[in-house]
Amino acid sequence: MATSTRKKAAPVSEDKSETNIAKAPVEAIQDEKPATKKIVAKDIDLSMEVTVRNGFQGALIYKSHKTGEKFEWDGFGDEQYMELKELKSAKTSSKKFFENNWFMFDEDWIVDFLGVSQYYKTAVKIEDFDNIFFMSPDDIAKLVPEMSNSKKRSVAYRARQLINDGKIDSIKTIKALEKALGTKLIVED
């Protein structure tokens, strides 16, 4: 079995504080899409490699059903390069990688080309993920309930990390997250 060696860690900092994270309203995170030229499917080479980022809070492994090639991401936000034809195959054989937003893309045309845009309507870009925790409680209440169950688990996992690190200390924010996620983030003794 071949293991892909084209792995590159994304510059995701674990040491984010409230002061260096821009506060963005929910609409800015959801609707922020730069104007780009429309890409026509016939113009796309299926052997083209695109960047696939890990949208899972932890290590992620994808094994090709066709070639047996193994793609590994060590942590959230890490990058791998995959051919479009492999992603089309993954759409058929491993749809959960798209449904759960475990495969994340920096370029919107990839989602459209693969025909999986229905799974990414409420997806939050990797670089904007931590901004969720510094939104207003009202914006949290609008955004989080619309996420997939897998993404909600990701939000809960990261929220617990930030609470334990003392980076989220607002009771209003914690309560809004707990209500939107339907789970307790702080276990009281």
Side-chain angles (χ1 to χ4, degrees):
M1 285 185 241
T3 299
S4 179
T5 57
R6 298 170 294 217
K7 187 164 108 175
K8 178 173 107 177
V12 176
S13 172
E14 291 296 323
D15 186 36
K16 292 187 178 180
S17 65
E18 186 171 337
T19 57
N20 70 357
I21 295 177
K23 293 184 180 185
V26 66
E27 293 82 16
I29 288 177
Q30 287 181 324
D31 297 332
E32 196 174 286
K33 292 182 181 174
T36 58
K37 181 184 167 197
K38 182 101 171 145
I39 296 177
V40 181
K42 67 179 183 170
D43 297 335
I44 297 174
D45 178 9
L46 289 178
S47 63
M48 176 176 28
E49 289 187 337
V50 295
T51 304
V52 180
R53 297 178 77 181
N54 179 6
F56 179 73
Q57 292 285 343
L60 182 66
I61 298 172
Y62 167 77
K63 184 178 176 187
S64 171
H65 290 271
K66 281 190 174 184
T67 66
E69 186 174 8
K70 192 175 178 183
F71 298 87
E72 296 180 55
W73 296 260
D74 292 330
F76 184 75
D78 283 356
E79 298 177 353
Q80 271 287 8
Y81 298 97
M82 296 176 72
E83 290 183 347
L84 285 172
K85 64 183 164 193
E86 184 61 53
L87 288 168
K88 284 184 81 71
S89 174
K91 176 185 156 188
T92 305
S93 63
S94 302
K95 194 178 280 189
K96 66 182 176 184
F97 283 84
F98 300 98
E99 292 172 341
N100 294 315
N101 299 151
W102 295 340
F103 284 169
M104 292 294 290
F105 308 95
D106 294 333
E107 302 174 68
D108 292 334
W109 71 266
I110 298 168
V111 170
D112 293 335
F113 174 75
L114 294 171
V116 293
S117 57
Q118 70 271 24
Y119 305 125
Y120 290 86
K121 288 179 183 172
T122 59
V124 176
K125 292 190 177 286
I126 300 287
E127 58 273 3
D128 294 331
F129 193 77
D130 276 3
N131 290 346
I132 294 168
F133 308 106
F134 302 99
M135 293 175 146
S136 73
D138 289 340
D139 286 343
I140 290 170
K142 289 178 194 171
L143 177 67
V144 176
E146 298 299 317
M147 294 179 168
S148 69
N149 288 335
S150 176
K151 214 29 100 179
K152 287 178 186 175
R153 285 190 296 274
S154 236
V155 169
Y157 176 84
R158 183 67 176 140
R160 286 183 184 106
Q161 283 181 326
L162 293 172
I163 290 167
N164 289 337
D165 293 344
K167 294 182 179 160
I168 298 177
D169 57 4
S170 165
I171 298 299
K172 287 182 181 180
T173 298
I174 294 169
K175 294 283 184 203
L177 284 165
E178 287 179 337
K179 184 176 180 184
L181 294 166
T183 189
K184 284 286 195 186
L185 298 173
I186 299 175
V187 179
E188 298 175 16
D189 296 329

